[in-house]
Amino acid sequence: MADYDIRLVSAAAVTVLALYRLVKWSRQSGPVMLPGPPADTFLWGSLQTIRDPKDIVPQWTKKYGKTFAVTGFLSMKRLYTLDLRAIAHVLSHPAEFHKPWQSRIGLTAITGPGLVAVEGDVHKRQRKILNPVFSQAQIRGFTPLFVRKAQELKDLWKAEVISTGDGSQTIDVLGWLSRATLDIIGEAGFGYQFNALVDESNELSVAFNKIFDVVSSFNPLEFLQIWVPVVGKMPTKRNKEFEESTGVLRRVGMGLIEEKTREAAKATPEKQTDTPTSRDLLSVLIKSNADNSLSEEEVLAQIATFIAAGHETTSTAMTWALYALASSPEVQAKLRAELTAFPNDNPTMEELNGLQYLDWVVRESLRVYSPVEITSRQPIKDEVVPLSEPVTDLDGKVHTELHLRSGDVVFIHIREINMSPDIWGEDARIFRPERWESPPADANAVPSVYANLMTFLSGPRACIGWRMAIAEMKAFIFTMVRTFDIQIDPKLVIVGKLGRVVTRPVVVGEEAKGNQMPLKLTLLQQHKA
């Protein structure tokens, strides 16, 4: 025990010294010379304010411009920019700009060396192998699954509504949608039945929910252990649960890999099909990895990555979309008119994409309510970043480019770019799907893989599963709006609370209940029979 205490104290001393040198170094970095808001506290800088649901960023940009300095942990300076030329440069040069090491530590703890956590040549190699997994043909084949799961959830909600006797029921749609998307990623991802909609006791489902309970909220202790690794060794309940849950994920994941590898080995050329739509993502990945370019550890990491990236973000996006429709009855009515005119309950991907107003609603929801609000990058060597708008430093010198040192952190605020009045007009912060009838020309300058939005980022590190997310959203919105009138209690105030990964809703005054989205569902007349 004494030896353990000595190691603990020694590790803490080394960490404190390293942090001191890091803070001293940060005082000399590029962003220090730019104006910006003062730190709220020395320890947390402006982090708590940035994570606050209040719209503070527009006030900052009005005062300091599109590029300025903000303070992070231990009041270390960070570059904050909404300059589209600067952002396009950073995102299009992934070899030079990596995710900050703090982010990679947190991501690796959850997923292992998966696609979202690795950098450089490793990321390029993984991405090349994974691209066929998320092809258009693959998503087309999964659309019936998306529709089927939406119908299963619809039936469960319908039963709850009918049970009240008055045709209406208030339901926390966030929790239900999270379970539905977990079922989808299990079945589409690796042929695994979570059955989360009807059974919450599945061990992998329980394990992953515990992992996200630990990482989805901003907790100072968890944040601190990234900077002070010894904190992660403390025998806390959260640390123990995290370790146990990742152990379950590893054990079940390895079993799935072994099963899919055996199936691939047994398949003869006559039995194999060139139709990837009939294959789960893990099977396609193992087939693509026939030359073993990915190690077993990397393949395992993709399972956790599929669940983390394809489950929580998509369910959160769906939740905000239903909230937007509940808050805009006229939009909901217009959408319902389009959807109820469709002749059946089982649209294909092409048919969903052909529903124009549904497409506008999904685009607008992802613009106003991006589930991931902010990202960051860090140059691995000294870099020069071009600007579309010059900035003036604290000494009054004007710069048309920024000189960053290795290790400087660049914050990119996805939400604020998506809702910039300079791009989307004076009503940029208002949910208005009709704007997509004639999008502004200025939106063409936004680096993007989808609809001139930053929601899925851009460049070689753009979200690889964006097509899948769009198809899922359309399938669920199609099904729910055809069945229910969706309302929200006007007395409730819903705000987005930024966790480590996504921005999830909370009810003001009910923060102790955690993330929730209570919406009132009323069964439409034609579905009451």
Side-chain angles (χ1 to χ4, degrees):
M1 190 68 174
D3 289 343
Y4 175 78
D5 291 339
I6 292 172
R7 290 196 302 270
L8 201 64
V9 172
S10 299
V14 170
T15 301
V16 169
L17 178 60
L19 286 174
Y20 168 75
R21 290 179 174 174
L22 186 60
V23 172
K24 184 178 179 181
W25 168 87
S26 77
R27 303 290 185 197
Q28 304 166 357
S29 64
V32 173
M33 298 305 297
L34 294 178
D40 299 320
T41 66
F42 171 77
L43 181 61
W44 299 112
S46 300
L47 287 177
Q48 298 283 27
T49 301
I50 292 173
R51 305 176 86 90
D52 195 278
K54 296 173 184 172
D55 288 330
I56 191 69
V57 174
Q59 300 174 37
W60 287 350
T61 54
K62 186 175 182 179
K63 184 174 182 179
Y64 304 111
K66 291 183 178 179
T67 302
F68 51 90
V70 295
T71 51
F73 183 56
L74 294 179
S75 291
M76 290 185 288
K77 294 291 185 178
R78 302 286 186 256
L79 178 69
Y80 186 103
T81 186
L82 301 178
D83 188 293
L84 295 182
R85 187 180 179 194
I87 292 169
H89 178 85
V90 169
L91 294 180
S92 63
H93 291 80
E96 290 78 22
F97 291 88
H98 291 184
K99 290 181 180 178
W101 61 267
Q102 304 96 319
S103 299
R104 298 200 303 272
I105 288 175
L107 289 169
T108 303
I110 302 170
T111 68
L115 188 68
V116 298
V118 297
E119 295 286 351
D121 290 340
V122 177
H123 178 270
K124 188 183 297 185
R125 172 169 51 81
Q126 289 191 9
R127 181 91 182 202
K128 182 179 180 181
I129 294 171
L130 285 166
N131 276 332
V133 176
F134 293 94
S135 67
Q136 186 84 338
Q138 190 76 18
I139 306 309
R140 180 182 296 108
F142 286 144
T143 301
L145 166 64
F146 303 157
V147 172
R148 173 166 56 81
K149 278 297 171 185
Q151 291 171 351
E152 287 180 22
L153 180 57
K154 176 257 295 182
D155 289 341
L156 290 168
W157 284 357
K158 184 176 178 179
E160 288 211 13
V161 170
I162 291 174
S163 70
T164 65
D166 62 2
S168 296
Q169 174 73 300
T170 297
I171 292 174
D172 175 17
V173 301
L174 174 64
W176 280 103
L177 288 168
S178 180
R179 289 157 64 183
T181 55
L182 186 60
D183 275 355
I184 286 174
I185 199 61
E187 194 168 335
F190 28 90
Y192 184 85
Q193 300 294 330
F194 280 111
N195 294 319
L197 279 177
V198 294
D199 178 14
E200 297 182 74
S201 65
N202 176 279
E203 65 170 343
L204 189 55
S205 174
V206 171
F208 209 82
N209 283 332
K210 284 184 178 180
I211 290 172
F212 259 92
D213 282 344
V214 172
V215 303
S216 64
S217 60
F218 179 73
N219 182 286
L221 191 61
E222 272 74 44
F223 182 85
L224 190 62
Q225 75 182 40
I226 293 176
W227 292 84
V228 187
V230 70
V231 174
K233 304 299 181 182
M234 295 172 63
T236 65
K237 179 182 177 182
R238 290 169 74 93
N239 286 340
K240 184 178 179 182
E241 284 188 346
F242 187 85
E243 185 177 345
E244 291 174 349
S245 298
T246 52
V248 171
L249 184 60
R250 181 178 184 83
R251 174 173 53 78
V252 176
M254 287 304 302
L256 289 168
I257 292 170
E258 291 169 1
E259 177 186 343
K260 299 300 179 183
T261 302
R262 285 195 300 269
E263 290 177 2
K266 289 179 181 178
T268 63
E270 302 82 51
K271 292 182 179 179
Q272 289 180 353
T273 173
D274 292 330
T275 307
T277 56
S278 63
R279 308 290 298 278
D280 60 76
L281 301 179
L282 182 58
S283 295
V284 176
L285 171 59
I286 289 174
K287 182 179 179 180
S288 301
N289 191 44
D291 61 353
N292 294 316
S293 295
L294 295 185
S295 67
E296 190 175 70
E297 194 70 21
E298 287 178 296
V299 175
L300 176 64
Q302 307 315 324
I303 294 179
T305 301
F306 289 164
I307 299 174
H311 155 50
E312 206 68 15
T313 52
T314 305
S315 63
T316 300
M318 289 180 188
T319 299
W320 284 117
L322 293 184
Y323 168 75
L325 291 170
S327 303
S328 306
E330 68 289 349
V331 171
Q332 185 180 161
K334 185 175 179 178
L335 176 61
R336 182 173 296 112
E338 177 183 72
L339 301 185
T340 53
F342 191 79
N344 62 69
D345 296 332
N346 300 286
T348 64
M349 183 182 74
E350 285 77 12
E351 288 170 335
L352 285 171
N353 289 339
L355 296 167
Q356 184 182 71
Y357 200 64
L358 173 62
D359 187 60
W360 292 358
V361 166
V362 169
R363 290 178 183 225
E364 186 70 349
S365 177
L366 289 170
R367 186 187 70 82
V368 179
Y369 301 104
S370 176
V372 178
E373 286 196 359
I374 195 166
T375 190
S376 55
R377 295 293 185 269
Q378 189 175 51
I380 61 173
K381 58 183 178 62
D382 293 358
E383 291 287 343
V384 177
V385 177
L387 297 171
S388 60
E389 296 184 16
V391 296
T392 303
D393 66 23
L394 294 171
D395 293 329
K397 186 178 179 181
V398 178
H399 301 265
T400 58
E401 58 187 22
L402 291 177
H403 292 259
L404 300 181
R405 297 194 323 162
S406 171
D408 284 342
V409 175
V410 181
F411 279 151
I412 300 171
H413 209 306
I414 296 166
R415 182 192 67 186
E416 292 304 319
I417 296 167
N418 281 352
M419 294 199 291
S420 169
D422 291 343
I423 300 171
W424 298 100
E426 291 304 313
D427 67 345
R429 306 188 89 78
I430 295 174
F431 178 80
R432 186 173 67 83
E434 284 71 16
R435 77 176 72 248
W436 292 97
E437 185 174 9
S438 181
D442 288 340
N444 292 326
V446 178
S448 172
V449 293
Y450 170 76
N452 299 121
L453 297 176
M454 280 288 295
T455 305
F456 298 108
L457 296 181
S458 71
R461 291 209 66 126
C463 173
I464 196 171
W466 67 269
R467 291 185 183 88
M468 185 170 179
I470 299 299
E472 285 186 68
M473 287 186 70
K474 288 184 176 181
F476 274 74
I477 294 171
F478 173 90
T479 301
M480 300 313 171
V481 173
R482 280 165 58 99
T483 308
F484 304 102
D485 180 53
I486 306 167
Q487 303 171 32
I488 187 165
D489 185 341
K491 297 190 295 293
L492 294 181
V493 177
I494 307 290
V495 296
K497 200 69 174 177
L498 177 60
R500 275 202 202 172
V501 182
V502 297
T503 297
R504 308 176 81 198
V506 295
V507 177
V508 173
E510 298 182 10
E511 289 83 359
K513 293 183 179 180
N515 299 113
Q516 58 170 326
M517 180 64 81
L519 297 180
K520 182 181 179 181
L521 304 183
T522 301
L523 201 58
L524 296 174
Q525 188 63 41
Q526 61 268 35
H527 292 277
K528 289 184 178 180

